[in-house]
Amino acid sequence: EAGVAQSPRYKIIEKRQSVAFWCNPISGHATLYWYQQILGQGPKLLIQFQNNGVVDDSQLPKDRFSAERLKGVDSTLKIQPAKLEDSAVYLCASSLAGYNEQFFGPGTRLTVL
Amino acid sequence: RKEVEQDPGPFNVPEGATVAFNCTYSNSASQSFFWYRQDCRKEPKLLMSVYSSGNEDGRFTAQLNRASQYISLLIRDSKLSDSATYLCVVNMGSKIIFGKGTRLHILP
């Protein structure tokens, strides 16, 4: 069974630039999550989708971050404009439903210079 | 009080020893609990769910204490391969919170 796919794996940009990350969840998983993990900390939930609807985006900095899951399958997360403090690993995860085991992708490591 | 708290460690434990971690949570209405394992520069992976009655999987035992609002993870006969960061996860219904993790180093 294919796991959660993410791209790119690494991205280096300068502050004030824009960047987008892509995630393809495990087939059949209705719930998709985006997390931000800063070095030395646990993952912080940015947004949770149930199919193509947003369940929780309370910790998403909406002035610069946006995410969509238009067809209820793959998803994109965008940062515009990026700040130095956005340097982190962005993890995508999926689960059958909101209370089930989450399966994580390999993450995208973002460095903002 | 933080929503989910873990001792960051590191715990340096000799191979074969038993080690235990706790994780406290602030919301008494929290509904489900998990332990994830994260290796260096890798993604988190589910180690085990935590059930109200406690559960065991080989050398690993997880317990939930709702009265005191904490979960625990016990590792018996520790192996070198158990070296990792252990993340506590609490589903509070309205949101999912990961702890910052406890680093474990198993020493040969």
Side-chain angles (χ1 to χ4, degrees):
Chain A
E1 177 183 290
V4 177
Q6 288 189 249
S7 67
R9 293 294 309 277
Y10 304 91
K11 190 74 177 178
I12 301 174
I13 61 172
E14 295 188 346
K15 60 183 179 183
R16 292 188 288 274
Q17 285 187 321
S18 301
V19 65
F21 312 129
W22 174 82
C23 172
N24 192 24
I26 292 172
S27 177
H29 280 195
T31 310
L32 185 148
Y33 314 79
W34 282 103
Y35 290 89
Q36 179 193 61
Q37 186 171 26
I38 293 173
L39 188 65
Q41 298 185 20
K44 182 181 86 170
L45 180 66
L46 294 175
I47 189 166
Q48 177 182 344
F49 291 96
Q50 180 73 17
N51 296 309
N52 61 348
V54 175
V55 173
D56 179 7
D57 64 356
S58 58
Q59 298 187 94
L60 185 74
K62 298 179 185 65
D63 58 333
R64 298 185 300 107
F65 287 65
S66 64
E68 59 184 18
R69 193 185 184 200
L70 293 176
K71 297 182 180 178
V73 181
D74 57 347
S75 174
T76 56
L77 175 71
K78 296 179 181 178
I79 308 175
Q80 180 180 6
K83 293 185 176 181
L84 296 176
E85 58 262 35
D86 298 332
S87 294
V89 175
Y90 291 84
L91 294 161
C92 177
S94 71
S95 65
L96 282 171
Y99 291 89
N100 295 127
E101 173 185 0
Q102 294 182 40
F103 294 84
F104 284 81
T108 296
R109 186 173 299 274
L110 174 67
T111 302
V112 182
L113 303 175
Chain B
R1 183 178 180 183
K2 292 183 181 178
E3 291 179 300
V4 176
E5 276 196 275
Q6 292 184 254
D7 182 341
F11 284 56
N12 297 308
V13 175
E15 191 176 8
T18 295
V19 61
F21 319 129
N22 281 346
C23 167
T24 60
Y25 59 95
S26 61
N27 188 337
S28 60
S30 298
Q31 299 170 352
S32 53
F33 309 86
F34 307 88
W35 283 104
Y36 277 73
R37 170 191 170 131
Q38 187 171 27
D39 293 296
C40 187
R41 301 180 78 86
K42 297 286 188 180
E43 70 273 21
K45 292 185 179 179
L46 180 70
L47 179 65
M48 55 199 307
S49 302
V50 186
Y51 304 124
S52 297
S53 56
N55 47 305
E56 188 174 312
D57 182 4
R59 298 182 293 109
F60 298 83
T61 300
Q63 292 193 316
L64 166 63
N65 186 318
R66 284 196 181 272
S68 300
Q69 294 181 209
Y70 73 88
I71 64 172
S72 64
L73 177 67
L74 179 79
I75 305 175
R76 288 181 300 278
D77 187 25
S78 53
K79 311 291 185 189
L80 294 175
S81 56
D82 294 334
S83 296
T85 296
Y86 291 83
L87 299 163
C88 161
V89 182
V90 178
N91 187 327
M92 299 184 179
S94 60
K95 55 184 178 178
I96 297 165
I97 306 292
F98 275 73
K100 291 188 175 183
T102 297
R103 285 183 296 145
L104 173 64
H105 296 154
I106 304 300
L107 308 173

